[in-house]
């Protein structure tokens, strides 16, 4: 699975760079949105077929919130560690980490503060999403199913959800979706708070 994702991303980069004219590549957003909706639709069908999953989620209860809390904390700490290594102020480094894969919003929110940090937020969160898509199957296989949610961050509810679903099971897919929603909601709250410190 990881190899297929890596090959697909690589072929897409080559096709976009060398083959597609700008007039066609400008329409990729529509194709991406349509493809994502189709993938999410089929993930929803798979989740709906396993009705016992919702009972299992009830049994887990509020402990389910530990996963997004751990991902948010890990993203902030990872940003700070990266900032120390790259000699970036802690404020900006943690703000970049708080993007949790949501590269469009984090880069826009940081653009008023610094063009360089905004660009860094965009690139690091795009790379996080690509790494997540490649590593989720490996994490699910060799480390654990719950842990496979972590690389995705905010994208666990959309672009990474089909990969999580195919690498784990319906129960994890629901938890991943909930985690992605919580992480996504937290980005526009945490990032401005960090910037105002």
């Amino acid at each position: 699975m990881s190899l297929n994702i890596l090959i697909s991303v690589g072929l897409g980069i080559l096709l976009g760079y060398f083959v597609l004219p700008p007039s066609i590549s400008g329409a990729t957003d529509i194709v991406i949105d349509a493809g994502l909706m189709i993938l999410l639709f089929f993930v929803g069908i798979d989740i709906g077929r396993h009705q016992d999953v919702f009972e299992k989620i009830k049994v887990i209860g509020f402990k389910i919130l530990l996963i997004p809390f751990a991902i948010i904390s890990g993203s902030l700490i990872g940003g700070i560690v990266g900032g120390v290594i790259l000699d970036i102020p802690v404020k900006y480094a943690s703000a970049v980490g708080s993007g949790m894969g949501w590269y469009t919003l984090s880069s826009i929110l940081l653009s008023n503060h610094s063009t360089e940090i905004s660009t860094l937020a965009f690139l690091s969160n795009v790379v996080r999403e690509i790494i997540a898509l490649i590593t989720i199957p490996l994490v699910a296989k060799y480390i654990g199913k719950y842990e496979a949610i972590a690389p995705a961050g905010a994208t666990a509810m959309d672009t990474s959800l089909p990969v999580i679903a195919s690498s784990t099971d319906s129960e994890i897919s629901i938890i991943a979706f909930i985690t992605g929603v919580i992480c996504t909601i937290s980005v526009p709250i945490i990032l401005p708070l960090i910037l105002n410190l």
Side-chain angles (χ1 to χ4, degrees), residues 29-45 157-159 161-162 177:
D29 287 344
I30 297 167
V31 175
I32 289 170
D33 287 345
L36 182 59
M37 291 305 122
I38 292 168
L39 282 170
L40 293 175
F41 174 74
F42 284 108
V43 168
I45 288 173
M157 67 176 255
D158 48 47
T159 53
L161 185 59
F177 182 80

Side-chain angles (χ1 to χ4, degrees), residues 84-158:
V84 169
I85 293 168
L86 298 173
D87 196 28
I88 298 170
V90 171
K91 175 180 176 177
Y92 291 128
S94 57
V96 168
S98 72
M100 286 178 276
W102 193 355
Y103 50 85
T104 50
L105 181 66
S106 58
S107 60
I108 289 169
L109 291 175
L110 284 163
S111 63
N112 294 331
H113 294 269
S114 166
T115 305
E116 292 83 8
I117 298 298
S118 173
T119 304
L120 179 63
F122 178 81
L123 292 174
S124 64
N125 284 291
V126 166
V127 169
R128 177 179 180 157
E129 185 172 348
I130 292 169
I131 290 172
L133 293 172
I134 294 166
T135 60
I136 286 168
L138 298 172
V139 172
K141 184 175 181 180
Y142 296 108
I143 299 175
K145 293 180 179 180
Y146 290 101
E147 291 83 351
I149 302 169
T155 67
M157 67 176 255
D158 48 47

Side-chain angles (χ1 to χ4, degrees), residues 60-74 146 149-150 175 178-179 182-183:
I60 295 171
F62 282 107
K63 288 187 276 185
I64 200 170
L65 299 177
L66 293 175
I67 295 171
F69 177 76
I71 291 170
I72 292 167
S73 301
Y146 290 101
I149 302 169
I175 294 170
I178 293 166
T179 298
I182 293 169
C183 289

